[in-house]
Amino acid sequence: MAVMPHRPIRVLVAKPGLDGHDRGARIVARALRDAGMEVIYTGLRQTPEQIANAARDEDVDAIGVSILSGAHNTLVPRICALLREHGMDEVLVVVGGIIPLEDVPLLKKAGVTEIFQPGSSTQDIINFIRNHVHRAEPVA
Amino acid sequence: MSDMAKSSVVPERRPSEAEQKWRKDVLKTALSVSRDRQAVFTTVSGTPVERLYTSADLPDFDYKRELGNPGEFPFTRGIHSTMYRGKPWTMRQFSGFGTPEETNRRLRYLLQQGQTGLSIAFDLPTLMGYDSDHPLAEGEVGKCGVAVSSLEDMETLFRGIPLETVSVSMTINSPAAPVWAMYLVTAEKAGADSKKLSGTLQNDILKEYIAQKEYIFPPAPSMRLAVDAIAFAARETPRWNPISISGYHIREAGATAVQELAFTLRDGIEYVEWALKAGLSVDDFAPRLSFFFDSHNDLFEEVAKFRAARKVWAHVCRERFRASDPRSWRCRFHVQTAGCSLTAQQPYNNVVRTAVQALAAVLGGGQSLHTNALDEAWALPTENSARLALRTQQVLAHESGLTEVVDPLGGSYVVERMTLEAERACYEYFERIDALGGMVAAIEKGFPQKEIHESAYTYQRAVERKDRIVVGVNEFFGGNERPVETLGIDEDAASEQRRRLAELRNRRDEAKVRRALDALARAAAGNENLMPLLIECARAYATLGEMCDVLRGVFGVYQEPGFW
């Protein structure tokens, strides 16, 4: 159920693991910003702990995790678990990158709402985030 | 620079009377009946393309000045007089995954299938100078390449492969010097003569800061390590390429063809300048500098880029650096087809894209080639998809007639005009980067990074507006077939690596390891060549992580300035 936000949607674009390929992360970050969202980009090589802490400190509504290294099955569930530990179950988690289809169920079960494969349009990502961000307080 | 800049001016078109008449009579009538599909046509990089190229596009075109014969300055037509008639390009498929044993099996399989050179992909912990048992390696071991943490791993990787006869390329950059040290000791222990070793160390740190972002140390000590390897190779391994100056990753990060060309060659200039500052003389090392380019979808643009690269580099070495050995003027390069052009949707289309890109690489006169596999937007290639990628090259080499003629597109109006334009645009970027104080300074200011990001964003928007069609992605849907299988890499590789490393750490002579690492630390604080010290560390079975930790302690680590 989408609710009109009372402030711009805040999104953390996160690069976990050792992978330095940031073309996608930067493009998505810029597209979200151009779409009116407030975007925080973590920079490269962040641990799941750093990402979850940044999400809490920045009070974000959504996290876009970009990962192309193949380490998603280890790192992404850990980010989701840490968010739950911080009581941030409502934060939307989406993932983009090189993700084999057989890994999708595991990631969704871990708490990822959607996986965006190569070729996804930034408009689809923007729409998805707008439609799936949960808000405690709707606009008055 | 003025002599180079002058030769780079692209002349105005000078249409003949006949052409003017054709435009007025024939073309105008045709366009009044049926208009072009779009107002402006552009290459994949966004460069406008004219309807027709004629001799008017090449006024005062001097064959000797612009092209030269194959094997002659400025090498536009190729670095060899006979090109592929004597020997086809080297088919060098990049591979590596899991443990050294698993990759050793894949390498032997590829050699059996007729591959003519090896190319090793290392996993991310190795690329970042961490051992497989480091906490940050968790989840990454063996995933996008093979894990190599020690001399023992390197020996396993090349077991049964004759290193004096098979050329080996290693894609490793920030920790290139320690990894190469492990390779050299492996070859020595296998009885290979270092003077006969042939292969390539990527060792190109500048493009890491610019594009691929697998850096460890700050730029100055990184450049020192790169130059140490170059200097060591000049003395000890005369058939080895100690650096592969790479545009591939720059292009993959979203650069245009011209940005790829210009940033790569300007990186080359930077390495030469740093090597000269370290006391080397240009003709002692320039003949062993090698390059690595991407081959994207736009056939003519790519061929022109490859030809322009040879021409510009020849001028740079002869005029900017006064190299006198003709071998110093030759831009030898490896090509890989464009990974960023592969689609997850309808993946079998990727075979066709890759074939066209490989065609451009061959028409462009590359020395070696990697063709991507159809499933790489999903995972690392399976044995079947890797074989099909190799077969694509074999069909081009043996069935298409491509190898019989040297530079077959030479003299084509469009290709020659595009070559001149790429050359000019490349010199323009050189001037901007020189004005910023060179490439290291430009990187610190974020200049190439921002240029690439702008191009990547522009391209993405063009695809989303359907200004650029990507078959199966934004047009021509349906039949969204997927590869039947993808290569999965489980965590067994990681636990196997951790077990082997623990055994090694128990078995080796700790005092010897400590002595070698201490000597490395002392030398790193000074300015002697670090290769001999790294070789001693490798011999003592110091791990890659241990060597890199010593260097991190002395050099510090690099943090990218925020360009966001």
Side-chain angles (χ1 to χ4, degrees):
Chain A
M1 169 62 192
V3 178
M4 282 301 289
H6 62 296
R7 57 162 194 186
I9 294 174
R10 285 172 68 80
V11 185
L12 183 74
V13 173
K15 280 290 293 175
L18 299 178
D19 156 35
H21 295 93
D22 61 358
R23 175 179 179 168
R26 283 172 182 263
I27 284 178
V28 169
R30 181 159 165 190
L32 297 179
R33 192 181 60 187
D34 288 354
M37 299 183 197
E38 290 178 357
V39 179
I40 302 107
Y41 173 46
T42 62
L44 297 172
R45 287 185 273 281
Q46 300 293 300
T47 62
E49 288 74 17
Q50 288 170 316
I51 291 167
N53 290 345
R56 181 192 55 201
D57 298 345
E58 296 287 350
D59 190 22
V60 298
D61 306 298
I63 305 180
V65 180
S66 169
I67 183 161
L68 294 82
S69 72
H72 46 272
N73 288 345
T74 304
L75 299 175
V76 174
R78 196 171 297 165
I79 295 170
C80 295
L82 287 164
L83 290 175
R84 280 193 294 275
E85 278 178 31
H86 291 332
M88 299 172 68
D89 308 57
E90 294 290 283
V91 170
L92 172 73
V93 180
V94 296
V95 172
I98 305 287
I99 312 289
L101 280 178
E102 49 274 33
D103 295 345
V104 169
L106 181 150
L107 296 179
K108 289 203 167 169
K109 194 161 161 250
V112 174
T113 305
E114 189 59 288
I115 317 279
F116 292 96
Q117 296 290 357
S120 302
S121 83
T122 57
Q123 195 55 53
D124 288 348
I125 299 170
I126 292 163
N127 294 343
F128 189 90
I129 291 175
R130 279 193 182 135
N131 291 333
H132 289 81
V133 160
H134 296 275
R135 293 292 186 155
E137 329 152 45
V139 176
Chain B
M1 279 300 285
S2 59
D3 43 354
M4 279 164 39
K6 198 168 67 190
S7 75
S8 72
V9 170
V10 181
E12 288 285 303
R13 289 194 93 243
R14 264 184 256 145
S16 64
E17 266 180 43
E19 186 185 320
Q20 289 178 40
K21 186 167 169 356
W22 171 82
R23 285 185 184 277
K24 204 164 105 243
D25 301 344
V26 181
L27 184 62
K28 217 170 153 190
T29 314
L31 287 172
S32 68
V33 178
S34 151
R35 285 151 52 110
D36 282 350
R37 283 176 288 117
Q38 49 196 76
V40 182
F41 290 82
T42 59
T43 65
V44 165
S45 296
T47 306
V49 179
E50 300 304 321
R51 169 180 294 103
L52 179 75
Y53 291 82
T54 70
S55 56
D57 292 284
L58 304 171
D60 307 321
F61 191 81
D62 184 288
Y63 181 89
K64 194 164 184 303
R65 184 188 68 216
E66 305 298 348
L67 302 179
N69 286 312
E72 285 179 2
F73 193 90
F75 304 100
T76 313
R77 307 206 67 182
I79 61 164
H80 299 301
S81 55
T82 60
M83 284 307 288
Y84 306 128
R85 282 197 160 213
K87 178 173 159 286
W89 64 91
T90 301
M91 299 179 191
R92 192 189 295 282
Q93 298 294 91
F94 188 43
S95 66
F97 59 91
T99 61
E101 285 89 349
E102 286 171 285
T103 296
N104 177 263
R105 278 197 294 277
R106 176 69 71 91
L107 296 179
R108 294 209 223 184
Y109 172 79
L110 287 166
L111 289 172
Q112 268 169 18
Q113 295 298 314
Q115 177 166 309
T116 48
L118 298 178
S119 174
I120 311 299
F122 294 100
D123 70 0
L124 276 163
T126 307
L127 295 177
M128 291 302 297
Y130 296 120
D131 292 334
S132 296
D133 56 1
H134 192 282
L136 288 176
E138 209 177 328
E140 313 261 20
V141 175
K143 287 287 162 62
C144 65
V146 60
V148 173
S149 302
S150 71
L151 174 62
E152 186 177 73
D153 288 345
M154 193 67 95
E155 292 177 274
T156 306
L157 182 61
F158 291 107
R159 189 177 295 146
I161 294 171
L163 298 183
E164 277 188 9
T165 51
V166 174
S167 77
V168 176
S169 167
M170 283 180 282
T171 297
I172 188 87
N173 294 283
S174 210
V179 167
W180 192 38
M182 295 197 284
Y183 180 82
L184 291 171
V185 178
T186 298
E188 176 192 273
K189 290 181 74 172
D193 177 358
S194 69
K195 305 280 184 220
K196 290 187 185 157
L197 294 178
S198 69
T200 304
L201 189 68
Q202 194 164 78
N203 192 30
D204 172 15
I205 192 64
L206 291 173
K207 64 93 171 56
E208 296 297 332
Y209 300 118
I210 294 172
Q212 190 173 236
K213 315 281 174 85
E214 312 291 353
Y215 40 71
I216 304 174
F217 318 113
S222 291
M223 288 298 280
R224 173 196 174 181
L225 281 172
V227 170
D228 280 355
I230 292 169
F232 188 83
R235 282 201 311 271
E236 307 291 339
T237 56
R239 295 182 56 207
W240 191 271
N241 303 313
I243 192 166
S244 171
I245 305 158
S246 307
Y248 185 79
H249 320 78
I250 292 172
R251 189 69 178 280
E252 292 289 303
T256 63
V258 159
Q259 287 167 343
E260 178 196 1
L261 174 70
F263 296 162
T264 308
L265 297 184
R266 188 59 188 73
D267 283 351
I269 290 172
E270 197 81 359
Y271 289 114
V272 174
E273 286 176 345
W274 282 65
L276 295 177
K277 268 193 283 181
L280 277 71
S281 59
V282 66
D283 286 318
D284 286 345
F285 65 91
R288 297 311 313 175
L289 300 176
S290 65
F291 291 85
F292 172 21
F293 292 106
D294 203 299
S295 191
H296 212 295
N297 286 330
D298 200 304
L299 186 73
F300 300 131
E301 175 168 65
E302 294 305 301
V303 174
K305 177 189 75 183
F306 296 129
R307 299 170 87 250
R310 279 191 294 271
K311 189 177 178 186
V312 171
W313 188 248
H315 279 286
V316 162
C317 282
R318 197 179 71 172
E319 283 133 39
R320 186 163 175 150
F321 295 118
R322 307 281 164 211
S324 55
D325 183 344
R327 292 177 310 152
S328 298
W329 305 336
R330 293 189 307 197
C331 177
R332 297 172 299 128
F333 58 84
H334 174 68
V335 181
Q336 181 169 339
T337 56
C340 63
S341 74
L342 300 179
T343 61
Q345 298 77 10
Q346 302 181 12
Y348 289 92
N349 299 347
N350 292 328
V351 180
V352 184
R353 292 188 180 98
T354 298
V356 173
Q357 295 162 5
L359 176 65
V362 175
L363 291 171
Q367 277 57 63
S368 60
L369 177 61
H370 167 104
T371 34
N372 293 323
L374 67 99
D375 48 359
E376 292 190 66
W378 289 105
L380 294 192
T382 62
E383 197 163 283
N384 283 332
S385 70
R387 189 178 55 241
L388 177 56
L390 175 62
R391 294 285 183 258
T392 304
Q393 293 198 41
Q394 289 164 334
V395 169
L396 286 176
H398 301 289
E399 298 184 14
S400 71
L402 269 180
T403 55
E404 274 80 320
V405 182
V406 176
D407 188 32
L409 293 186
S412 146
Y413 298 122
V414 57
V415 169
E416 295 301 356
R417 177 77 187 189
M418 285 185 172
T419 303
L420 289 175
E421 286 174 357
E423 183 190 1
R424 180 197 56 184
C426 181
Y427 285 123
E428 282 173 3
Y429 264 122
F430 283 2
E431 282 175 20
R432 291 171 74 182
I433 295 164
D434 287 345
L436 290 170
M439 194 46 121
V440 167
I443 286 167
E444 285 167 344
K445 294 181 175 83
F447 172 72
Q449 299 94 312
K450 286 180 202 157
E451 291 281 299
I452 293 167
H453 174 66
E454 283 306 316
S455 300
Y457 198 60
T458 303
Y459 178 82
Q460 180 66 25
R461 285 167 50 107
V463 170
E464 294 194 14
R465 283 196 310 260
K466 284 204 194 184
D467 288 349
R468 202 158 286 290
I469 298 301
V470 182
V471 173
V473 173
N474 63 4
E475 195 64 278
F476 311 114
F477 313 107
N480 194 10
E481 83 279 20
R482 289 191 296 267
V484 282
E485 44 162 6
T486 51
L487 183 75
I489 295 164
D490 53 31
E491 290 300 312
D492 292 355
S495 50
E496 172 65 11
Q497 276 296 101
R498 279 195 293 271
R499 186 187 62 75
R500 285 163 44 113
L501 263 172
E503 278 179 21
L504 175 73
R505 290 188 209 274
N506 276 328
R507 190 176 351 110
R508 65 186 186 175
D509 179 346
E510 251 349 275
K512 196 174 163 199
V513 171
R514 196 62 330 211
R515 276 197 305 277
L517 289 171
D518 288 346
L520 175 64
R522 282 192 301 276
N527 54 15
E528 69 188 283
N529 191 315
L530 296 179
M531 279 309 301
L533 293 118
L534 291 164
I535 286 171
E536 283 314 307
C537 290
R539 228 178 239 139
Y541 289 93
T543 65
L544 177 64
E546 288 164 343
M547 291 187 249
C548 289
D549 279 346
V550 165
L551 298 178
R552 283 185 186 98
V554 179
F555 296 154
V557 293
Y558 182 70
Q559 292 291 339
E560 185 176 44
F563 299 120
W564 161 251

